[in-house]
Amino acid sequence: MNERERDHENDDRNDGRTEPREQPDGASARPGQGPAPADRPAAPETPGGERAATSTDGGREEPAAERTTSLRKELPEEVPGSASGAGQDADAAPAAPGLTGRQRLVKGLWPPRLTRAQLIVALLLFGLGFGLAVQVASNSDGDSALRGARQEDLVRILDELDDRTQRLEDEKAGLEEQRDELENSSDQAEEARRQTAEKERQLGILAGTVAAQGPGITMTVEDTKGAVEADMLLDAIQELRAAGAEAIQVNGMRVVAKTYLTESGNGVAVDGNKITAPYRFKVIGKPQDLEPALNIPGGVVQTLEKEQATVTVERSTKIVVDALRAAKRPDYARSSSR
């Protein structure tokens, strides 16, 4: 190498220290780095206009569009309807397609979903309804006897009730009259004795210690088959007492408050004394009350006739009850008056 060439080389080196050399494509060289290689190919563009990234080691990286597609594949699939159904109830099931309004209503009501409070209320309502039904049924059974009665029988029963009411009113009036006589009598002691004697006669009739007479009825029961029992005759006595009978005699036996009837072979015993058919009742009282009481629907006469017995009832203005009961001193009861 000659001197001229050596000087030219030194000038070039000096120029490189003071002023960087221009790089291709306007890129300047960094200190410590060499010039960018001129033969590095440019990054190709993707069909969507994106430029593919290149690796630092000189190898080409995958395009951005392909990398986006791979990231989408790694992400979990989006739940359908998550954005649009955010304000809806999660438990509400979508309506089945093809159902009518009635079918949807039935599907919503059945099967029923009852709470404990609703179940308790339902049980209470059921118990209340059952109690009302039982009460209505019992009232209907009690009125069935009168409901099936004829008009004449109903009128007769009503007249009997009116007669009983009138009898009680008469008794009340009599007691009030006695009170007034005791208060206004000048000789109260004599009036008291008179009333005491009258009360004794009345109590004697009820006790069966004295004979009695007055208007009433005679009832005769023919029992050819022996089907009449003691309880049937006892029902007849009770019915007569309820109708206002003041004195009763059956086949010569005086009926009083403590009278009892029992079965005795082919007959009936009254206070232990046997009597046989026909059974003849002599009753003192108001005939207009006594006879209808025996002939009410389902009463004494119909019950005896069902047993194929023959019953006849006759009214009379004078009935004599002359069978007597011996007066018996009570063992324990004593009068409380002084």
Side-chain angles (χ1 to χ4, degrees):
M1 178 182 300
N2 53 24
E3 277 184 41
R4 186 177 295 178
E5 292 178 354
R6 199 177 291 122
D7 294 336
H8 186 66
E9 185 176 0
N10 291 331
D11 291 338
D12 292 338
R13 290 178 181 174
N14 293 332
D15 293 339
R17 292 174 184 170
T18 59
E19 193 177 29
R21 298 178 62 183
E22 293 183 0
Q23 302 294 332
D25 297 333
S28 60
R30 294 182 181 178
Q33 293 183 356
D39 56 352
R40 180 177 297 176
E45 293 186 359
T46 60
E50 299 177 353
R51 190 176 295 275
T54 56
S55 60
T56 55
D57 56 353
R60 181 184 177 186
E61 293 183 355
E62 60 181 3
E66 295 179 3
R67 189 167 60 235
T68 305
T69 304
S70 62
L71 290 176
R72 289 180 180 176
K73 291 181 179 180
E74 294 177 0
L75 292 176
E77 293 185 359
E78 192 175 4
V79 179
S82 60
S84 60
Q88 298 179 358
D89 189 0
D91 296 335
L99 294 179
T100 63
R102 181 178 298 178
Q103 292 175 344
R104 287 197 297 269
L105 178 61
V106 172
K107 187 176 180 181
L109 294 177
W110 190 262
R113 299 171 182 172
L114 297 177
T115 62
R116 179 175 297 181
Q118 292 174 344
L119 183 59
I120 293 175
V121 171
L123 291 176
L124 292 176
L125 292 177
F126 174 77
L128 178 61
F130 181 76
L132 291 176
V134 171
Q135 184 177 3
V136 171
S138 62
N139 293 337
S140 300
D141 294 339
D143 298 339
S144 59
L146 295 178
R147 190 174 301 171
R150 297 176 300 176
Q151 184 176 2
E152 308 85 60
D153 297 333
L154 294 175
V155 172
R156 186 183 306 166
I157 294 172
L158 184 60
D159 293 339
E160 181 183 352
L161 293 175
D162 293 339
D163 293 339
R164 289 183 181 179
T165 303
Q166 185 62 38
R167 186 169 61 253
L168 292 175
E169 291 291 339
D170 294 342
E171 184 178 355
K172 176 183 177 183
L175 293 175
E176 291 177 351
E177 183 179 355
Q178 292 179 7
R179 182 196 62 189
D180 295 339
E181 289 177 355
L182 286 174
E183 291 176 353
N184 301 326
S185 176
S186 57
D187 190 357
Q188 294 185 358
E190 182 64 27
E191 182 65 24
R193 284 192 295 269
R194 186 186 67 82
Q195 291 189 7
T196 301
E198 182 66 24
K199 181 66 68 176
E200 183 180 359
R201 286 192 297 270
Q202 294 177 0
L203 294 176
I205 293 174
L206 296 177
T209 58
V210 297
Q213 66 178 12
I217 63 170
T218 300
M219 182 178 71
T220 304
V221 180
E222 296 284 350
D223 182 25
T224 58
K225 296 187 176 182
V228 177
E229 299 177 353
D231 59 342
M232 299 178 184
L233 298 181
L234 182 60
D235 291 340
I237 293 173
Q238 297 292 354
E239 192 66 37
L240 291 170
R241 283 175 173 171
E246 297 175 354
I248 303 174
Q249 176 178 314
V250 183
N251 287 22
M253 297 298 302
R254 188 71 171 266
V255 177
V256 294
K258 61 179 183 179
T259 297
Y260 63 93
L261 281 76
T262 58
E263 299 290 338
S264 177
N266 57 350
V268 177
V270 179
D271 292 335
N273 301 310
K274 183 179 180 179
I275 60 175
T276 57
Y279 305 106
R280 188 180 301 273
F281 289 75
K282 291 183 178 181
V283 186
I284 296 177
K286 189 175 181 180
Q288 294 81 359
D289 294 340
L290 299 175
E291 184 179 2
L294 297 173
N295 291 314
I296 61 174
V300 174
V301 174
Q302 287 189 3
T303 302
L304 293 173
E305 288 177 349
K306 287 181 180 179
E307 301 297 333
Q308 298 182 357
T310 303
V311 182
T312 57
V313 180
E314 297 177 357
R315 297 186 184 185
S316 177
T317 57
K318 183 180 180 180
I319 298 293
V320 177
V321 176
D322 54 1
L324 302 179
R325 299 290 294 268
K328 183 180 179 180
R329 182 181 179 86
D331 296 330
Y332 304 100
R334 298 290 184 269
S335 175
S336 61
S337 61
R338 293 181 181 178

